[in-house]
Amino acid sequence: MDKSCKQPDNKTRSLGTKIFYLFTVFIIVIYVSFSAFFVYYQSQMLKEHLAEEGRQLANLLADNLKLGVFAENDDLLRGPVESILEYDETILVQAFNNEGKQLISLAKKGAQIEQTEMSELEKQRSILESIRIKYAPLQLSGRESMEFWAPVKSGERFTEENLYYEYTVSPPKEYIIGFVRVVLTTSILKASLKQVLINSTFIPSLFIIPGWFIAYYIVIRITRPLKRLTQGVKAIGTDETFVNVQVETKDEIGRLATAFNEMALSLKNRDTENKELEEQLRQAQKMEAVGTLAGGIAHDFNNIISVIRGYGRMLQKNKDFEETTRNYVEQIVSSSNRAAALTRRLLTFGRKQIIDPKPVNINNVILNVETMLKRLVPENVQFILNLSETELIVTADTTHMEQVIMNLVSNSRDAMPEGGNITITTRLIAPEGPVFRPVSIDRDSKYAFISIEDTGTGIDKVIKEKIFDPFFTTKDVGEGSGLGLSIVYGIIKQHQGLVDVESTPGQGTKFNIFLPTNTSQVEDNDHIASILPNGTETILIAEDDEYVRALVSSVLKQNGYKVIEATDGNSAVAEFLANRDKVSLMLIDVFMPKKKGTAVFKEIRETRPDIKAIFISGHSTSHIINQFEFTEKISFLSKPILPDELLHKVRELLDKQ
Amino acid sequence: MYTKIINTLLFNSALMLLKVLVVLLIILRPSFASAADVVIVQSISIKPYNDVLKGFKDTCKCSVEQIVLSEPSRANLKRKIQKANPDLVLTIGMDAYRKSRAVTSLPVIYTMILAPIKTISNSADTTGVSMVISAEKQLNIIKKVLPDTKEIGLLFDPARSGKFIRRAITAAKTEGIELIAKEVNASKDVPDATMFMKDTIDAFWVIPDLTVITPETFKFMLLCSFQNYIPLISFSDKYVEMGALLSLNIDEYDIGRQAGEMARKFFSGTSLKQIQKVDARNAKITINKTTAEKLGIPIKSETLKNARIIEK
Ligand SMILES: Nc1ncnc2c1ncn2[C@@H]1O[C@H](COP(=O)(O)OP(=O)(O)O)[C@@H](O)[C@H]1O
Ligand SMILES: [Mg+2]
């Protein structure tokens, strides 16, 4: 037989079953050993009892038969013998005289008397001899019977001396005058032993069987919560909808169930949290990718536009053109202006826009645009400002911040064609607690919180995922560009901030912005003068893009400056060294082949520490800015370069001492 | 002066002391010659025997020396008797008689033995008082105490009590009583014999016959007595205490006196041969009142007055 064929089930028995089996085995062992002990004890008791009865009967008979044996008188013998025979167990009673002659022998009717191997006479003689020697009763046990022998003793005969008077020579002498034999059957004993066996088997079972049921019930009660717990664990494992495990008791199992429920809850929470974070990450990655793409395109496009616009402007100034030609030029210039604006917006979103961050109070920024905002919204829209009393100083580009507010407010307005409320709230918050826990935020610093809330249409869940995408719009062609929120996103991101949206379709939308606060003082912005400045100084231009270089060079030359051009970093250094005394200012493209703008500047500053420079870049250049202290000798210009802006910056720097 | 007086005093007292010592020595000295007239050999030291001794002493007025056989310190009986060198030996009890007779040829007066058989009657220098009260006397008393008695049952071993029975039968006739005496040759025949006669008798008379009386047979007879309302007449207090109605006891002190009188005759020159062996002349009555009540036998107050009463 193959042993491996055994049921593998045995190993997967439940704890309850095991306990129950154990209990059962325990009970059976106890039961059997108790019964065995009890039966054994009882049988010993009964045997001892029978033996005791036999001895007593034999002694009683011996005592009563004194005269009968003495007189060897059948009448005197019969009475006592018959009375002994009346006992249930007695099957044979005999009496013998001292010589071993049988005086009387009465047997119970129908009783079977066991035959011994020894002949009756032989046996009897040896028994009598042993009694004579021991002077005491004797007991023999057969299979079916027990027999008891006792000597019949008589007091000593009187002598002349004590016939008259009572006196004793101690000890009083007795002598054996005969014997009695009482045979008891053990069949009655066996019957009652059988009864004992039955009793000791059935009576305990009367207790054991209910006990069994009780034990079963108890085991079930103990293991039921465990089973539930197991099911709960399985449910979590297989991702079924988890229902709290019922806590029934306050014992260890109950506490386990409670702990388990708590664990399940926190697992669930963590799960949703993880999903949210994942979603956020995905969104951020998407934005990053789109931003990079848009920024890359916009950067190159910007250079092209700069050239178009630059030459367009120059053409505009030419008075020689006739009316139609001038009209064309106007068209070119305005279109290129629009293209430049679009590019700039894309750059802003792509964070390729050069920002000019200064410590500003956000509340002031909002108050500055308030009038404009009110003009933006129709009469049926209520405008509510709910600004914090404390100053919310952030390092930010005011223009960009204004842009953010404007974009959000216009979206809210669009979402409320039938009117409603727009609430702008600001607050200083510490990022603690569950309300606010974006991962990217530094928990040690405080944040300026700006929310723009409306009672408009709200945003559908599917749409919500895409609203920050550039060119995503739900509005009709011409009404929406799809760039509003992309720009907001880009600006806030560039300011190390965070923007998110809460919305309930049909009820309204709330945009939340978090910006890291700054403790510095707020600077007031001066406005740029509107007259185009000019000069005669020599300016070195280091720019790899020949169109941009040509544009900048022609703009400067037109306004009286002398220009030296360099196409890369190395030639820039060479040109500078050649004209070391003539050059008053340098225009350096940050990213150039062979040698980067910063490196060029560092090299040149070693020979001329007082050299003034304007860095040009199409990229966000905060890291470049950080490389140098912003002294009066260094400034910054972002692409696309506008001729007016270029001339202002150049003049401004040259005039500084 | 004083010293002289003291010296005289001391001398006198010393002399006195010496005299006393000499007298004491004479008194306490071991007897070399005949120290006692009679040596009394006693089987055991029990009150009835001592009573005999007392009666003897009171009557004989002779010097005696006592030897108790049962006492552990006893020396050789023969040497003791020789040492005492008496003229006469008094024995109290059967054992004392047998042993004394075996060791000495001196004249012996016996007491406290049952009707003597061969040894005693053949012996020359022997006489004495038996423990037997004469049949006539006993029957006379029985008739007085139990006047309604017509038939009295009795068991006897002819070898032991044949002579007594013969006299008793004659005596009974004079008292108007029929004595149904049945011979038994062995103790084991007693129960059967008792059963045999129980329906025909008014009273059962137990005589001191060692064949008839054994511890078992007496118990049986007693049982029979109670079962059949037959009063049991015995010869010793011992049996009355066990439940017999009545006993006619010997008077031990008087037996002593009888023996004492014999000794006096002997000392006055009469040979023992010439002194008749006698039975006990006096009888004391003991009655078990409880038994009497049980058996429903009325006892006259006159009888009760003269009897020892046992209530058990
Ligand atoms: N406050 C708002 N309420 C409802 N929907 C809005 C809200 N703000 C933005 N949206 C949705 O987000 C889209 C993108 O907005 P935006 O980037 O500003 O582009 P545009 O406004 O040009 O459509 C909108 O078309 C609109 O569907
Ligand atoms: Mg918009």
Side-chain angles (χ1 to χ4, degrees):
Chain A
M1 285 248 215
D2 191 2
K3 276 183 184 173
S4 62
C5 278
K6 270 190 178 173
Q7 284 207 326
D9 250 33
N10 289 359
K11 283 173 190 166
T12 54
R13 262 185 217 144
S14 75
L15 179 65
T17 326
K18 274 180 198 160
I19 292 173
F20 189 66
Y21 276 147
L22 215 68
F23 177 78
T24 308
V25 168
F26 177 71
I27 286 288
I28 288 170
V29 166
I30 293 257
Y31 174 42
V32 167
S33 44
F34 172 78
S35 295
F37 170 76
F38 185 73
V39 168
Y40 174 77
Y41 179 75
Q42 280 291 313
S43 79
Q44 290 300 309
M45 281 273 288
L46 285 170
K47 267 184 203 157
E48 186 45 49
H49 188 79
L50 188 69
E52 183 59 34
E53 190 177 279
R55 281 195 292 272
Q56 275 178 10
L57 285 178
N59 286 337
L60 182 74
L61 185 66
D63 212 48
N64 287 343
L65 279 191
K66 271 181 185 172
L67 191 68
V69 169
F70 177 80
E72 298 189 7
N73 180 311
D74 199 52
D75 290 334
L76 292 172
L77 289 164
R78 194 165 285 274
V81 167
E82 273 173 351
S83 75
I84 295 299
L85 204 62
E86 266 167 31
Y87 285 87
D88 288 340
E89 283 96 348
T90 323
I91 50 171
L92 178 71
V93 183
Q94 289 176 323
F96 305 88
N97 71 6
N98 199 22
E99 286 74 45
K101 188 185 128 200
Q102 183 178 297
L103 301 176
I104 188 166
S105 174
L106 291 182
K108 190 161 272 172
K109 254 178 229 158
Q112 203 104 57
I113 288 139
E114 211 180 346
Q115 288 298 320
T116 45
E117 302 109 60
M118 270 196 286
S119 84
E120 198 63 12
L121 220 81
E122 208 178 310
K123 177 186 151 195
Q124 184 193 311
R125 200 172 299 141
S126 74
I127 288 167
L128 296 190
E129 204 45 55
S130 111
I131 295 174
R132 263 194 210 106
I133 291 160
K134 285 182 190 154
Y135 206 72
L138 190 108
Q139 179 182 328
L140 299 169
S141 298
R143 204 176 311 128
E144 302 288 321
S145 61
M146 284 171 113
E147 56 176 282
F148 302 88
W149 289 79
V152 179
K153 290 176 193 170
S154 168
E156 208 173 9
R157 279 172 161 267
F158 290 130
T159 61
E160 276 99 343
E161 304 292 348
N162 61 8
L163 184 62
Y164 278 69
Y165 307 111
E166 190 78 67
Y167 74 89
T168 48
V169 180
S170 60
K173 268 195 195 154
E174 278 186 326
Y175 64 101
I176 296 172
I177 57 168
F179 306 90
V180 293
R181 178 196 185 193
V182 175
V183 180
L184 303 185
T185 175
T186 51
S187 63
I188 293 171
L189 174 110
K190 275 172 188 158
S192 50
L193 214 78
K194 208 179 274 171
Q195 194 56 48
V196 165
L197 194 76
I198 290 165
N199 286 354
S200 65
T201 311
F202 284 103
I203 294 171
S205 45
L206 286 183
F207 298 95
I208 286 170
I209 289 163
W212 230 310
F213 282 111
I214 291 167
Y216 184 72
Y217 175 73
I218 290 170
V219 166
I220 290 292
R221 288 246 12 206
I222 291 171
T223 53
R224 192 168 50 194
L226 282 175
K227 205 180 255 176
R228 289 234 181 87
L229 217 58
T230 318
Q231 279 166 354
V233 172
K234 264 188 201 154
I236 284 193
T238 55
D239 215 20
E240 279 173 35
T241 36
F242 170 74
V243 188
N244 265 8
V245 173
Q246 202 179 325
V247 181
E248 281 169 87
T249 49
K250 283 183 177 167
D251 57 12
E252 285 82 351
I253 292 171
R255 269 178 271 154
L256 182 63
T258 315
F260 175 74
N261 284 341
E262 279 164 12
M263 185 196 76
L265 186 70
S266 83
L267 270 180
K268 217 157 120 190
N269 287 344
R270 204 173 296 172
D271 215 36
T272 41
E273 196 175 291
N274 276 348
K275 269 183 191 150
E276 272 169 23
L277 288 176
E278 219 169 83
E279 185 54 37
Q280 276 180 17
L281 184 68
R282 208 168 55 78
Q283 183 71 12
Q285 280 171 341
K286 187 180 79 182
M287 296 311 285
E288 195 64 41
V290 174
T292 313
L293 180 67
I297 295 166
H299 176 253
D300 288 343
F301 196 61
N302 204 19
N303 286 339
I304 299 162
I305 291 299
S306 301
V307 176
I308 295 169
R309 277 177 80 201
Y311 286 111
R313 288 269 180 101
M314 283 166 70
L315 282 178
Q316 264 183 326
K317 282 175 187 167
N318 196 329
K319 309 279 177 353
D320 303 341
F321 290 138
E322 49 184 273
E323 189 61 33
T324 13
T325 317
R326 191 170 293 152
N327 222 343
Y328 294 156
V329 172
E330 281 305 322
Q331 287 298 316
I332 292 167
V333 170
S334 74
S335 286
S336 62
N337 277 348
R338 284 207 347 253
L342 177 65
T343 318
R344 198 171 312 191
R345 281 156 80 187
L346 272 177
L347 279 168
T348 314
F349 160 68
R351 277 172 284 140
K352 301 282 156 63
Q353 179 69 283
I354 293 154
I355 57 164
D356 187 9
K358 286 180 191 123
V360 287
N361 183 350
I362 280 293
N363 290 338
N364 288 346
V365 173
I366 293 165
L367 289 171
N368 279 344
V369 288
E370 193 190 353
T371 6
M372 217 198 322
L373 294 174
K374 280 188 176 151
R375 218 176 291 147
L376 206 69
V377 299
E379 305 245 305
N380 57 1
V381 172
Q382 186 86 31
F383 204 74
I384 304 159
L385 282 188
N386 193 1
L387 304 181
S388 76
E389 299 206 340
T390 49
E391 286 191 336
L392 297 172
I393 311 295
V394 295
T395 306
D397 187 317
T398 313
T399 330
H400 282 152
M401 281 302 134
E402 286 172 358
Q403 180 89 63
V404 166
I405 307 289
M406 296 273 280
N407 285 4
L408 291 174
V409 169
S410 18
N411 279 349
S412 292
R413 177 207 56 202
D414 293 346
M416 297 187 294
E418 260 103 69
N421 297 336
I422 298 176
T423 313
I424 301 181
T425 311
T426 60
R427 222 185 317 145
L428 182 72
I429 58 158
E432 292 176 312
V435 201
F436 179 67
R437 29 177 206 185
V439 268
S440 56
I441 272 180
D442 178 2
R443 286 178 187 236
D444 288 338
S445 31
K446 288 190 172 173
Y447 284 79
F449 169 75
I450 307 143
S451 80
I452 287 126
E453 194 176 2
D454 65 58
T455 56
T457 53
I459 310 170
D460 193 84
K461 205 187 166 191
V462 187
I463 293 172
K464 206 154 112 188
E465 282 182 20
K466 297 177 188 160
I467 54 171
F468 290 105
D469 295 0
F471 305 112
F472 175 81
T473 178
T474 56
K475 292 162 192 170
D476 292 340
V477 183
E479 275 179 28
S481 66
L483 281 174
L485 288 179
S486 315
I487 289 165
V488 168
Y489 183 88
I491 291 170
I492 298 302
K493 216 51 216 236
Q494 206 169 0
H495 284 83
Q496 272 85 43
L498 209 116
V499 57
D500 74 10
V501 61
E502 299 168 29
S503 182
T504 317
Q507 287 190 17
T509 310
K510 186 182 178 189
F511 281 91
N512 299 317
I513 293 164
F514 306 91
L515 288 170
T517 53
N518 186 323
T519 39
S520 315
Q521 284 302 303
V522 183
E523 272 176 37
D524 265 307
N525 269 2
D526 336 23
H527 278 277
I528 307 160
S530 54
I531 310 144
L532 285 177
N534 50 12
T536 55
E537 290 90 343
T538 304
I539 295 168
L540 177 71
I541 305 166
E543 167 66 67
D544 61 319
D545 190 311
E546 73 177 284
Y547 300 104
V548 176
R549 195 173 64 235
L551 172 67
V552 172
S553 156
S554 66
V555 167
L556 289 174
K557 278 176 186 164
Q558 271 186 6
N559 287 284
Y561 296 102
K562 287 168 201 101
V563 177
I564 303 166
E565 290 179 32
T567 53
D568 57 52
N570 286 350
S571 66
V573 177
E575 287 291 343
F576 176 79
L577 293 174
N579 304 284
R580 155 184 338 204
D581 301 322
K582 288 186 209 161
V583 177
S584 318
L585 180 79
M586 294 183 68
L587 278 171
I588 310 168
D589 188 4
V590 176
F591 299 102
M592 280 186 300
K594 291 181 184 167
K595 200 169 256 170
K596 275 186 183 170
T598 47
V600 172
F601 179 67
K602 270 186 190 164
E603 231 182 283
I604 291 168
R605 206 165 56 169
E606 274 167 25
T607 37
R608 276 272 304 274
D610 62 330
I611 190 74
K612 293 170 180 173
I614 295 172
F615 284 97
I616 308 162
S617 175
H619 301 271
S620 170
T621 45
S622 48
H623 61 286
I624 303 163
I625 301 164
N626 291 342
Q627 269 189 0
F628 309 101
E629 288 163 58
F630 269 94
T631 59
E632 49 283 6
K633 293 189 179 75
I634 300 163
S635 190
F636 217 85
L637 207 59
S638 67
K639 290 177 183 175
I641 296 165
L642 299 175
D644 293 5
E645 204 184 341
L646 172 70
L647 289 172
H648 276 296
K649 269 264 160 79
V650 167
R651 194 65 260 160
E652 190 188 344
L653 203 65
L654 283 171
D655 289 348
K656 279 190 181 164
Q657 284 308 301
Chain B
M1 229 198 27
Y2 276 118
T3 42
K4 219 177 189 181
I5 294 167
I6 290 168
N7 275 343
T8 330
L9 272 172
L10 273 173
F11 179 76
N12 285 344
S13 36
L15 208 73
M16 287 256 292
L17 214 79
L18 203 72
K19 277 179 184 166
V20 169
L21 275 171
V22 166
V23 169
L24 271 174
L25 270 172
I26 291 165
I27 293 169
L28 296 175
R29 98 201 127 103
S31 50
F32 294 108
S34 177
D37 302 324
V38 182
V39 162
I40 298 170
V41 182
Q42 194 174 333
S43 293
I44 38 172
S45 178
I46 52 171
K47 187 176 177 289
Y49 287 9
N50 293 338
D51 285 348
V52 175
L53 177 65
K54 211 171 155 223
F56 179 80
K57 275 183 184 166
D58 287 353
T59 321
C60 174
K61 305 254 193 280
C62 45
S63 65
V64 298
E65 184 160 332
Q66 188 190 5
I67 298 166
V68 180
L69 290 180
S70 69
E71 272 169 16
S73 61
R74 65 164 182 204
N76 187 297
L77 178 68
K78 188 174 180 178
R79 225 177 48 225
K80 270 192 171 176
I81 294 171
Q82 276 173 357
K83 218 181 223 175
N85 194 20
D87 299 319
L88 183 69
V89 175
L90 177 78
T91 64
I92 307 175
M94 185 67 183
D95 206 26
Y97 171 73
R98 277 206 195 103
K99 283 181 177 149
S100 304
R101 194 71 282 182
V103 297
T104 183
S105 52
L106 285 168
V108 173
I109 297 177
Y110 61 82
T111 60
M112 302 308 272
I113 61 174
L114 287 172
I117 325 167
K118 292 157 201 163
T119 27
I120 296 167
S121 49
N122 292 350
S123 180
D125 269 352
T126 305
T127 190
V129 191
S130 77
M131 289 170 93
V132 180
I133 300 167
S134 68
E136 295 80 9
K137 185 149 190 129
Q138 289 197 57
L139 285 161
N140 187 260
I141 296 169
I142 290 167
K143 189 70 190 174
K144 268 184 203 151
V145 178
L146 306 166
D148 300 334
T149 312
K150 296 279 179 311
E151 279 131 6
I152 293 179
L154 187 143
L155 297 180
F156 74 100
D157 180 358
R160 291 183 191 271
S161 319
K163 205 171 146 198
F164 178 80
I165 295 304
R166 259 173 270 126
R167 281 179 61 184
I169 289 168
T170 340
K173 273 183 189 140
T174 45
E175 293 293 341
I177 294 169
E178 194 187 340
L179 195 65
I180 302 167
K182 192 167 165 54
E183 280 183 27
V184 286
N185 294 310
S187 304
K188 63 180 179 112
D189 297 334
V190 173
D192 263 352
T194 313
M195 299 291 269
F196 174 78
M197 61 168 59
K198 69 171 200 272
D199 294 328
T200 53
I201 53 174
D202 300 326
F204 195 81
W205 187 15
V206 183
I207 57 162
D209 185 313
L210 280 169
T211 306
V212 176
I213 299 187
T214 73
E216 271 69 44
T217 54
F218 183 74
K219 269 180 216 149
F220 180 76
M221 288 187 268
L222 204 59
L223 204 71
C224 243
S225 148
F226 283 116
Q227 278 174 354
N228 301 292
Y229 294 89
I230 301 166
L232 207 65
I233 300 155
S234 72
F235 52 89
S236 165
D237 281 1
K238 180 176 162 181
Y239 302 102
V240 181
E241 278 173 14
M242 283 166 85
L245 173 71
L246 166 79
S247 74
L248 306 169
N249 305 318
I250 47 168
D251 183 344
E252 292 87 358
Y253 181 76
D254 191 56
I255 286 175
R257 286 180 63 95
Q258 280 180 281
E261 280 157 18
M262 286 174 169
R264 287 193 65 161
K265 275 184 192 162
F266 171 77
F267 283 122
S268 57
T270 322
S271 142
L272 282 191
K273 265 185 203 161
Q274 285 155 326
I275 302 171
Q276 270 278 287
K277 297 179 183 80
V278 294
D279 288 337
R281 63 186 171 201
N282 258 359
K284 295 188 291 183
I285 302 173
T286 303
I287 289 174
N288 191 325
K289 222 173 156 187
T290 316
T291 306
E293 276 158 21
K294 267 188 199 158
L295 301 180
I297 293 165
I299 308 289
K300 281 181 271 181
S301 56
E302 188 197 318
T303 319
L304 286 173
K305 214 183 282 168
N306 298 322
R308 179 176 168 224
I309 310 293
I310 287 170
E311 282 177 282
K312 269 194 200 170

